[in-house]
Amino acid sequence: MSASLTRFAPELDARVVGTLRPHPRYAELPLVAPRTRDELVACVRAAHRDGLALVPCGLGSKLAWTQPPARADFVLSVRELSGFTAHEPDDGTISVLAGTTLADLRAKARAGGHWCTPDVPQPTRATLGGALALGRSGSDRTRYAPVRNHVLGMSVVLADGTVAKSGGKLVKNVTGYDLHRLYTGSHGTLAVIVEAALRLFPAPESEAWFEREFASFADALAATRTVAELPVRWLALSLVRARGRWRACGRLGGKHAVVEHELGLVRATLGEPIARDANAAERADALRDAAPSTRPSFARVACRPSRVAEVVHALDLEHGAAEVAIEPTIAALELSLAGDARALAARRESLAKLGASLHLVAPDSDAAPFDSPGPELALMQRLKQRLDPQGVFARGRFVGGL
Amino acid sequence: MSLADPKTLVEYTATLDCIHCGLCLRTCPTFQLTGNEASSPRGRIYLMRGVAEGQIAGDDPTYHDELEFCLVCRNCESVCPAGVRFGEMMEVARDRAANSVKRPWSEALARWIGFGLVLPNRALMRWSIDLLGFAQRSGLLRRVAPLFGARKDALLAFPAVPPKSERELLPIRTPARGEERGEVTVLEGCVMPEMFGRVNLATVETLSAIGFATRTCGSHACCGALHAHNGELDGARALAKNTIVAFEGLTSSDGVPLPVIVNSAGCGAHMKEYPRLLAEEPEWRARAQAFSKRVFDFSEFVAAHAPADWAPRVDPGTFGRVTYDDPCHLCHGQQIRKPPRELLKRVHGLQHVELPHSEQCCGSAGIYSMLRPSDSNAVFEPKLADLAETRADTLVTANPGCHMQWDMGLDRTGLDVRVVHLAEVLAEASRQARSTPTEPSKHEPAELATPRLHEPKAEVR
Amino acid sequence: MDAPWIAELRALLGPRGIVEDPTRLFPYEADGIVLLRRRPELVLLPRTTEQVSRALKILHRERVPVVARGAGTGLSGGATPVEGGVVVSLARMRDVLELDAVDRTARVQAGLVNIDLSLACSKHQLFYAPDPSSQQACTLGGNIAENSGGPHCFRYGNTTQHVLGLVIVLEDGTVLDLSEPRVDPLGYDLVGLFVGSEGMFGIATELVLKLLPKPATTETLLAIFESLDAACDATSDLIRARHEPSAIEILDKLTIQAVEASVYAAGYPKTAEAVLLLDIEGSEVEVANTVAGIEPLVRARGAIEVRTAKTELERKQLWAGRKGAFGAMGRIAPDLYVADVCVPRTKLRELVAHTTRIAREKNLKLATVFHAGDGNLHPNIAYDRRDADEVRRVLEAGDEIMHLCIEAGGSLSGEHGVGLEKMKAMEWLFTREDLATMCRVREAWDPDRRMNPGKLIPIRACLETKQAVFRPEHATGAAKARDER
């Protein structure tokens, strides 16, 4: 840590713990990591007062997922704000500080007999605050749908240092606007998430892991479609291309009898499960942690489920060298990139014709990460304007330069 | 404005039963048509309450229009969790409204002739229908119809008066076929003998086939249902008393009053409600109760009393594919839904398919189709599409108003579907069963190709 | 006489698309909560997004407040008209625009009645999961405005989890097409933010909704209890044991009696103090497994009988009875106050007991029927709006119940929304800063605060922003005509 880097108010200087690039193509900036909620408020308030721009983050592992900020003065991490403020296993809810890693969160939930979504890759390197700011769902969205559905409430620090909450800790609640839906996925452009309450789900008593290789993409897709139609509640279901081969992978989890029954239904299409219970979880985690999104450069594509094949074809993924992971029921694709970000960006228009969106994470390229939004951008800009008129949360990083 | 206490203009306490939950909205034909809250059961009750509480004048023309716009199909009653008796409230509100507004003289005269003279009097009814028949055949109707303004089209579309041979009254007594299992009376009705003499005959024939002798009730014609539905409660009460008296005389040889079989759903629903109509006349209460217990819809009685060995059967070509449209005053007014279907299923050789939205009103609603022809047509319109979807060859009903509405509607659109009363199907099936006492035919009815006007809308891509 | 802009609306919407007659406007003065009433100046009944957009442009220009209305079955006053305001009713926008059985989505107009969507997709073995008790009447657009729930939201989640896209008309008539159903939004989650915004962000005219495959097996259990407490405890036990039925409902004795006297009589035992109604769905094995797990738990809490619906008809009747419960209360009193509070599911018995005590203390008749599995209580208090003292006691009871729930970590509404009815209680649950943030977000959508003004956020919370903008000189011709009468 170098004191010469800091030129801020004392409340910020006191919490500088190092330096970090807010984006790989932006200069190193002081990294500020307050230890308490009050310190966090003081830091944001100081930035507001002194006209500084900050980039919020968790552990900073996914700062490359955005565009570089137009101007930023420091990076503000919530990593020191970790732990659980409430855990009600008998009610199936948990309240978590934003700096808690997903690994810790999932372990805590598990200890109470629960599953916690999102199940994202490399959970030791991801904080809940970061995942929610990115609106990042995990492999378990096949069963549980996007993570934003399960955020019950949130506390945030707004641009002027105000602490504001929305929602609560209840599994059902419609009191007030769902502002947590706005903050989830807002990439830290509207507020710093301090704490969130999540809904928990029963932990599976038993698990099974299926993997089967197919000769072609079409066969693999057909197989996943077949098993997706079965009366089976998949925990995760994906199509994976690695080392030039297509595989269908599926994870079952639930009560013993139910899993036994379900794997009987799946067997005809995917064969025998290759792992059970703890081994199944291990396999699933291994696949999850090797996802294309863990590569330095990758792309995410989303469309309607019925258009997955068309999108794969349009991007020529059936036979290419790219690593691909597809959640067929969610219609989300991830693919690794190797310096071809610009070429992919050029296909935006043809993807749009298929109703597909493209998100590029290519820190070494100036290809635009996000699609261009439509007329709704004006509304998003008004939201930004109302909540952060001064641009305390550095502008330029998100869709449409938000 | 009426000087009367506004609380007497409607059934005020009944309006308080409505808790405003809205479950009635979707079932209401006029709400479906307009999307207007005031044209829904809940909205109309709200208006009634507004009148009672003095927020709306008793002679407010919009209020009156909403009362008249209602078809009184009573579909809302079938879904109302609070048990609001909407039909009854409507009858009272219309009756009070009739007293609080001055109708144009032509309308007042028409109502006086219709309700006061023609309906209750068999001879006048016959004469009127004769006149109509003559006007239809001679082309006179075409020439005078324009005088009736908005009702011109409805008048022109009125079904052709049947030939004299089909307008015979029933015999005073018809014996049972085979062993007599009992004796019943039938309500011949006012319009029925003139327009649907064949249905009355079929009714008696079916009853006879299941072992019941039938008797008719002399010169009795009108039960007063149309009066009650159209705000003529005094007339309705007088006719109810007439009816009770007339049928009280009809007993079995050992003095037990005979069941009264009704093949017109509107009349049956009304006759079952005589006790309520006469509730405020203590000397009539017990008689009305005793009478209403004797009233059975045709389908209700036949389904309950047909012997196990009665095996009606038709040649598949006779009716083709058959569908059943619930008359409102049967399904909503009397909560009778299963018996007609059970009877159709019982007819061997008949292919029965369900009609979508069969409990939705066809827009006939007694004399509504004459009073508000364009609204009536608008209510009817979706029924045609539903019928087309069934690809039925024959539509079965159980009420003369609905029967005419379907006849007119099908005539207008050219859809080739025959309309019959349930009794006609059963009578024919009983007849065919008698004439071919052989093995029932094995083959199922063939799909009969009928030209369709409307193809069901494709909505799935 | 006639303001030119009213003539413009008339020309735009046609004679059937506008209600001006004061008598026809009268029934629009309340939605499902008749305690709150105000006659609107006009009601518009558009048929298309285009008409809504053009009408809102005119109203924007004239600075007239707007209240959107679906079927008017809401229970928080969300569709109660506002002073000098126009009601935009979606009741004539009820087309199913597209059913996609492959992607399992439906695109519908906002005025479609909830049940009609499930009926429309039934032939593809699909259904729409959120099932508010008023689903026979309420519109999907209204469901979205309030983020409605329903018994089966226990398993499937509230409305917001089933909304994939929207077409929204903003207050100035701008049409935002956010209807392409993709897993994540591009930019901010405007759709997610809009759901539950109680008509204050704009009018959703087209909805893209998620459909689910019908479960292979459904089992309906009815557990009969001799005390309401025991039924509550049994529910807490089920949640604690991680059981996953689709719906967990409780009906108390008074509710059962009202239902059993109605057309929805379903064979609930009239002498029971409470029943627990459960739907268990899934594969045959899953259902059998869950039922086997649930039965002993329920019996351990003193269920004197556990019945299983034998036929589909019986099953339907049990649910129809549950869903007709609100209306059936019409038999008990002319009006019904339906509270809608939520509590952690570990505290069901405690809070239900409090509501019983409060009703007793205030000499009020209480029937309770609620989504126990979600901790969403509905203490229903019968009253007669003509009795001013009773109305006062009802409102006091409502306030007390809300206070107790907040103390227990609960909230003000689980599915009916805040609307007018619970607006002041927002200050009990949220800080000034929380509410001011909601104000700011609302002003991004509606800078003049003209959409459903005066609802959800207490006026005081917004004072630092702007004063309300509606000016009385804009009172409509219809209002003046009425005043002259």
Side-chain angles (χ1 to χ4, degrees):
Chain A
M1 175 187 13
S2 141
S4 65
L5 269 175
T6 65
R7 53 186 190 288
F8 303 140
E11 55 267 55
L12 287 175
D13 285 348
R15 294 312 318 144
V16 171
V17 296
T19 60
L20 190 66
R21 291 176 188 273
H23 186 274
R25 285 189 283 122
Y26 200 90
E28 285 207 343
L29 294 177
L31 173 64
V32 177
R35 290 163 305 185
T36 65
R37 190 184 301 232
D38 288 345
E39 283 184 5
L40 174 63
V41 167
C43 291
V44 175
R45 199 168 278 161
H48 182 255
R49 185 191 60 214
D50 299 340
L52 304 175
L54 67 92
V55 173
C57 74
L59 295 174
S61 62
K62 290 167 191 75
L63 288 167
W65 288 35
T66 64
Q67 302 179 123
R71 176 184 77 90
D73 299 299
F74 66 96
V75 178
L76 179 71
S77 169
V78 296
R79 66 184 60 172
E80 300 289 325
L81 290 171
S82 66
F84 305 93
T85 52
H87 182 202
E88 295 286 346
D90 291 347
D91 192 30
T93 60
I94 192 163
S95 299
V96 191
L97 289 174
T100 312
T101 65
L102 287 170
D104 288 348
L105 169 57
R106 291 174 59 77
K108 177 84 171 175
R110 188 87 202 193
H114 281 111
W115 178 273
C116 183
T117 188
D119 184 20
V120 300
Q122 301 173 346
T124 51
R125 297 180 51 199
T127 61
L128 177 67
L132 293 181
L134 290 180
R136 191 141 196 247
S137 303
S139 62
D140 54 344
R141 66 181 159 184
T142 298
R143 180 181 291 180
Y144 294 114
V147 65
R148 58 179 182 270
N149 282 358
H150 307 298
V151 180
L152 307 176
M154 239 182 219
S155 256
V156 299
V157 177
L158 295 169
D160 60 359
T162 307
V163 178
K165 68 172 182 297
S166 62
K169 294 180 210 164
L170 301 154
V171 295
K172 188 177 183 186
N173 183 11
V174 300
T175 318
Y177 304 140
D178 277 0
L179 297 186
H180 37 288
R181 289 288 293 249
L182 174 62
Y183 306 134
T184 301
S186 67
H187 287 60
T189 59
L190 297 175
V192 183
I193 298 169
V194 181
E195 183 184 343
L198 299 175
R199 180 178 196 155
L200 301 172
F201 301 92
E205 293 172 359
S206 167
E207 289 195 43
W209 178 254
F210 291 87
E211 248 183 71
R212 183 169 172 193
E213 218 171 89
F214 288 89
S216 70
F217 167 71
D219 292 348
L221 180 65
T224 53
R225 288 252 159 91
T226 303
V227 296
E229 290 294 321
L230 296 171
V232 163
R233 289 181 73 206
W234 288 102
L235 190 50
L237 183 63
S238 61
L239 276 171
V240 180
R241 181 168 171 85
R243 296 179 297 280
R245 296 284 197 172
W246 282 102
R247 272 179 304 158
C249 304
R251 183 181 194 178
L252 293 177
K255 299 199 167 161
H256 295 295
V258 176
V259 170
E260 285 309 316
H261 169 71
E262 289 181 345
L263 63 86
L265 297 176
V266 172
R267 192 174 280 136
T269 313
L270 294 184
E272 291 299 326
I274 61 165
R276 295 297 309 271
D277 301 330
N279 290 336
E282 224 167 81
R283 289 275 195 151
D285 291 352
L287 184 79
R288 177 197 71 191
D289 291 344
S293 64
T294 58
R295 305 287 177 261
S297 184
F298 65 95
R300 303 199 297 171
V301 181
C303 60
R304 296 184 183 205
S306 57
R307 300 208 178 130
V308 167
E310 285 169 86
V311 167
V312 166
H313 184 72
L315 297 177
D316 195 24
L317 300 175
E318 292 107 321
H319 311 290
E323 291 170 18
V324 186
I326 303 172
E327 290 161 276
T329 57
I330 303 295
L333 292 76
E334 284 183 0
L335 50 137
S336 62
L337 295 179
D340 46 0
R342 278 159 178 276
L344 199 50
R347 298 211 195 170
R348 278 217 154 92
E349 214 165 288
S350 55
L351 283 172
K353 281 194 192 121
L354 292 170
S357 66
L358 174 66
H359 176 204
L360 282 174
V361 177
D364 54 349
S365 160
D366 58 359
F370 302 107
D371 293 339
S372 306
E376 63 272 22
L377 178 61
L379 175 59
M380 295 183 204
Q381 285 164 338
R382 288 202 296 278
L383 284 162
K384 170 77 177 170
Q385 183 62 26
R386 294 276 171 180
L387 290 174
D388 180 18
Q390 199 178 301
V392 169
F393 304 117
R395 292 180 196 275
R397 291 175 295 137
F398 193 31
V399 170
L402 288 166
Chain B
M1 167 142 185
S2 159
L3 292 173
D5 175 0
K7 289 197 173 51
T8 64
L9 291 177
V10 298
E11 284 208 289
Y12 181 49
T13 39
T15 66
L16 304 181
D17 289 342
C18 172
I19 203 156
H20 219 65
C21 70
L23 291 199
C24 53
L25 294 172
R26 183 170 152 275
T27 65
C28 175
T30 56
F31 182 76
Q32 283 180 358
L33 218 51
T34 61
N36 192 322
E37 179 78 23
S39 307
S40 73
R42 179 175 76 168
R44 290 189 176 108
I45 293 171
Y46 207 84
L47 290 177
M48 288 179 200
R49 184 165 175 173
V51 167
E53 294 181 348
Q55 286 153 303
I56 294 172
D59 58 355
D60 183 290
T62 308
Y63 166 64
H64 286 241
D65 186 52
E66 281 303 346
L67 291 184
E68 286 177 11
F69 187 23
C70 172
L71 296 124
V72 201
C73 66
R74 300 170 63 185
N75 200 332
C76 48
E77 290 184 33
S78 283
V79 297
C80 178
V84 172
R85 294 196 303 265
F86 186 77
E88 196 188 329
M89 290 168 73
M90 209 60 189
E91 288 177 2
V92 171
R94 280 183 174 179
D95 180 65
R96 307 295 192 271
N99 297 330
S100 70
V101 290
K102 237 181 131 51
R103 293 178 193 274
W105 70 269
S106 58
E107 195 184 324
L109 178 70
R111 286 178 77 97
W112 180 72
I113 295 175
F115 290 121
L117 301 179
V118 177
L119 281 172
N121 186 308
R122 180 144 285 151
L124 271 177
M125 171 64 79
R126 168 151 280 219
W127 181 80
S128 309
I129 299 285
D130 280 343
L131 185 67
L132 176 67
F134 171 73
Q136 284 176 335
R137 289 188 303 274
S138 65
L140 183 66
L141 193 62
R142 281 213 161 271
R143 265 181 268 161
V144 298
L147 298 176
F148 290 83
R151 284 167 202 147
K152 170 185 145 222
D153 292 337
L155 199 61
L156 285 175
F158 201 83
V161 172
K164 267 265 179 334
S165 58
E166 284 186 22
R167 293 170 57 199
E168 291 296 318
L169 287 176
L170 292 170
I172 291 184
R173 190 172 193 283
T174 309
R177 241 168 228 286
E179 192 195 339
E180 182 178 311
R181 303 171 59 235
E183 195 179 17
V184 296
T185 67
V186 292
L187 177 82
E188 269 194 286
C190 46
V191 184
M192 286 299 288
E194 303 303 332
M195 294 303 293
F196 294 107
R198 59 174 213 268
V199 173
N200 273 354
L201 277 170
T203 302
V204 169
E205 199 180 327
T206 308
L207 288 165
S208 171
I210 64 166
F212 285 84
T214 50
R215 287 163 64 185
T216 58
C217 190
S219 64
H220 174 269
C222 182
C223 66
L226 288 174
H227 299 71
H229 299 162
N230 291 284
E232 302 277 342
L233 284 182
D234 287 341
R237 284 192 199 98
L239 286 166
K241 291 172 195 169
N242 267 348
T243 306
I244 293 170
V245 171
F247 279 89
E248 273 173 347
L250 293 170
T251 59
S252 66
S253 50
D254 40 3
V256 180
L258 298 177
V260 182
I261 310 305
V262 186
N263 59 13
S264 152
C267 301
H270 180 62
M271 289 158 76
K272 286 179 177 178
E273 282 165 17
Y274 277 175
R276 245 183 251 151
L277 183 69
L278 299 173
E280 274 153 40
E281 301 185 46
E283 67 280 19
W284 283 94
R285 201 177 295 146
R287 291 171 78 178
Q289 265 158 7
F291 174 76
S292 68
K293 287 201 186 98
R294 294 165 60 193
V295 176
F296 297 93
D297 182 71
F298 167 77
S299 63
E300 187 182 15
F301 187 85
V302 175
H305 293 93
D309 61 355
W310 177 58
R313 165 179 348 128
V314 289
D315 183 81
T318 313
F319 295 104
R321 190 204 279 258
V322 167
T323 195
Y324 171 70
D325 186 35
D326 291 271
C328 293
H329 283 218
L330 203 54
C331 64
H332 306 304
Q334 302 179 52
Q335 301 295 324
I336 292 176
R337 295 175 170 89
K338 276 191 196 151
R341 291 177 169 80
E342 283 168 10
L343 290 170
L344 288 174
K345 288 204 179 83
R346 212 164 151 177
V347 177
H348 189 90
L350 205 62
Q351 189 191 357
H352 173 227
V353 289
E354 281 294 335
L355 176 70
H357 311 114
S358 66
E359 292 192 13
Q360 283 290 314
C361 182
C362 67
S364 162
I367 56 170
Y368 188 92
S369 54
M370 295 290 140
L371 297 177
R372 300 178 75 105
S374 68
D375 292 330
S376 169
N377 280 342
V379 170
F380 181 65
E381 214 50 47
K383 300 285 287 184
L384 271 178
D386 288 333
L387 177 61
E389 201 177 304
T390 63
R391 307 177 65 84
D393 303 293
T394 303
L395 179 120
V396 178
T397 180
N399 186 49
C402 313
H403 202 142
M404 283 197 265
Q405 179 83 344
W406 277 109
D407 271 339
M408 290 190 284
L410 292 171
D411 202 39
R412 208 165 48 237
T413 57
L415 203 63
D416 185 16
V417 178
R418 178 179 166 199
V419 184
V420 296
H421 190 285
L422 176 66
E424 295 179 87
V425 176
L426 299 183
E428 175 65 27
S430 305
R431 221 175 289 140
Q432 288 193 18
R434 284 197 302 277
S435 62
T436 51
T438 48
E439 283 291 292
S441 77
K442 288 282 192 295
H443 68 276
E444 285 300 308
E447 286 270 333
L448 296 176
T450 320
R452 292 292 144 213
L453 286 184
H454 307 282
E455 284 300 322
K457 258 196 296 182
E459 49 187 1
V460 179
R461 82 172 165 85
Chain C
M1 307 188 15
D2 229 20
W5 61 272
I6 297 183
E8 259 181 274
L9 288 169
R10 214 179 282 136
L12 169 66
L13 301 168
R16 287 196 151 186
I18 184 164
V19 184
E20 301 178 70
D21 181 298
T23 304
R24 286 209 171 86
L25 290 171
F26 182 64
Y28 282 98
E29 64 175 17
D31 59 8
I33 175 165
V34 280
L35 207 53
L36 307 167
R37 298 187 296 276
R38 182 184 283 279
R39 200 183 306 200
E41 305 300 341
L42 279 181
V43 173
L44 309 182
L45 290 154
R47 304 208 77 148
T48 61
T49 299
E50 169 70 15
Q51 283 186 344
V52 174
S53 162
R54 288 172 62 184
L56 286 195
K57 278 192 177 110
I58 296 170
L59 298 170
H60 170 78
R61 192 186 67 213
E62 301 296 329
R63 311 181 77 179
V64 178
V66 174
V67 176
R69 177 182 168 110
T73 54
L75 291 168
S76 60
T80 311
V82 299
E83 187 178 350
V86 162
V87 166
V88 176
S89 163
L90 283 298
R92 292 205 304 166
M93 291 181 62
R94 55 195 164 192
D95 288 343
V96 176
L97 302 171
E98 185 189 334
L99 270 187
D100 187 332
V102 179
D103 285 338
R104 294 175 181 160
T105 61
R107 176 187 288 264
V108 303
Q109 283 190 307
L112 185 72
V113 171
N114 177 297
I115 188 79
D116 283 330
L117 176 54
S118 279
L119 291 176
C121 59
S122 172
K123 57 174 175 271
H124 304 295
Q125 299 307 309
L126 298 172
F127 76 111
Y128 176 68
D131 60 337
S133 296
S134 58
Q135 74 179 134
Q136 296 281 349
C138 61
T139 65
L140 291 160
N143 295 170
I144 278 165
E146 304 296 337
N147 188 10
S148 306
H152 290 77
C153 292
F154 174 68
R155 178 175 179 129
Y156 300 109
N158 263 26
T159 296
T160 188
Q161 303 194 16
H162 303 271
V163 182
L164 302 175
L166 295 174
V167 173
I168 299 169
V169 183
L170 298 181
E171 55 89 30
D172 63 355
T174 307
V175 178
L176 289 189
D177 186 343
L178 305 169
S179 65
E180 182 63 31
R182 281 192 296 244
V183 61
D184 290 317
L186 176 65
Y188 300 147
D189 182 12
L190 299 176
V191 169
L193 179 59
F194 186 92
V195 177
S197 61
E198 305 199 9
M200 300 168 83
F201 288 178
I203 299 180
T205 54
E206 287 177 28
L207 328 169
V208 177
L209 302 170
K210 182 174 13 176
L211 305 174
L212 299 176
K214 286 188 193 170
T217 315
T218 304
E219 188 90 86
T220 301
L221 289 190
L222 188 70
I224 298 156
F225 287 89
E226 282 172 319
S227 89
L228 185 55
D229 283 356
C232 291
D233 284 339
T235 305
S236 296
D237 287 353
L238 293 182
I239 306 293
R240 187 174 303 123
R242 318 273 190 267
H243 284 301
E244 290 187 292
S246 309
I248 309 181
E249 300 283 308
I250 288 178
L251 292 79
D252 77 350
K253 189 174 193 169
L254 194 55
T255 308
I256 291 169
Q257 287 170 345
V259 168
E260 286 304 307
S262 80
V263 290
Y264 296 103
Y268 289 118
K270 279 185 261 189
T271 51
E273 283 302 318
V275 295
L276 196 58
L277 177 65
L278 300 145
D279 244 7
I280 298 121
E281 296 175 328
S283 66
E284 214 170 302
V285 174
E286 190 181 351
V287 169
N289 191 271
T290 307
V291 171
I294 286 175
E295 267 213 61
L297 277 181
V298 170
R299 286 193 191 277
R301 281 293 181 179
I304 46 177
E305 192 189 336
V306 182
R307 290 185 198 164
T308 309
K310 301 269 183 314
T311 62
E312 179 62 16
L313 181 70
E314 198 182 333
R315 208 185 89 65
K316 278 194 176 140
Q317 281 173 339
L318 283 171
W319 281 106
R322 162 63 188 92
K323 291 182 177 178
F326 166 58
M329 302 293 175
R331 292 161 189 278
I332 296 172
D335 299 296
L336 192 70
Y337 173 90
V338 186
D340 172 42
V341 287
C342 280
V343 294
R345 295 167 296 177
T346 46
K347 296 184 174 165
L348 285 175
R349 182 179 63 178
E350 186 186 321
L351 266 299
V352 168
H354 276 309
T355 61
T356 313
R357 172 184 56 78
I358 291 167
R360 198 177 50 236
E361 283 170 7
K362 301 212 175 283
N363 190 26
L364 294 166
K365 200 176 253 186
L366 173 88
T368 205
V369 45
F370 62 104
H371 312 304
D374 278 322
N376 186 186
L377 310 184
H378 289 319
N380 295 330
I381 307 175
Y383 71 99
D384 184 337
R385 78 180 96 137
R386 296 167 302 171
D387 180 343
D389 185 63
E390 193 171 44
V391 169
R392 181 186 55 77
R393 280 179 283 132
V394 168
L395 294 178
E396 281 175 9
D399 286 356
E400 265 186 57
I401 291 169
M402 286 192 276
H403 272 301
L404 285 167
C405 284
I406 292 172
E407 271 170 41
S411 78
L412 307 174
S413 177
E415 54 185 16
H416 298 168
V418 174
L420 271 179
E421 185 232 340
K422 290 175 273 248
M423 188 167 66
K424 71 164 192 284
M426 288 292 276
E427 289 180 314
W428 308 339
L429 184 62
F430 290 109
T431 64
R432 228 177 109 82
E433 288 75 22
D434 301 338
L435 295 173
T437 310
M438 290 183 199
C439 273
R440 287 203 240 170
V441 168
R442 179 224 190 149
E443 282 168 4
W445 292 83
D446 176 16
D448 294 337
R449 291 194 259 133
R450 224 167 23 78
M451 303 300 288
N452 216 6
K455 311 270 175 84
L456 193 137
I457 307 172
I459 299 285
R460 265 190 298 173
C462 284
L463 275 187
E464 80 254 33
T465 47
K466 252 191 256 172
Q467 291 299 322
V469 291
F470 179 71
R471 298 199 306 268
E473 61 264 33
H474 285 108
T476 65
K480 283 179 192 153
R482 203 189 57 217
D483 293 345
E484 281 156 20
R485 264 160 63 101

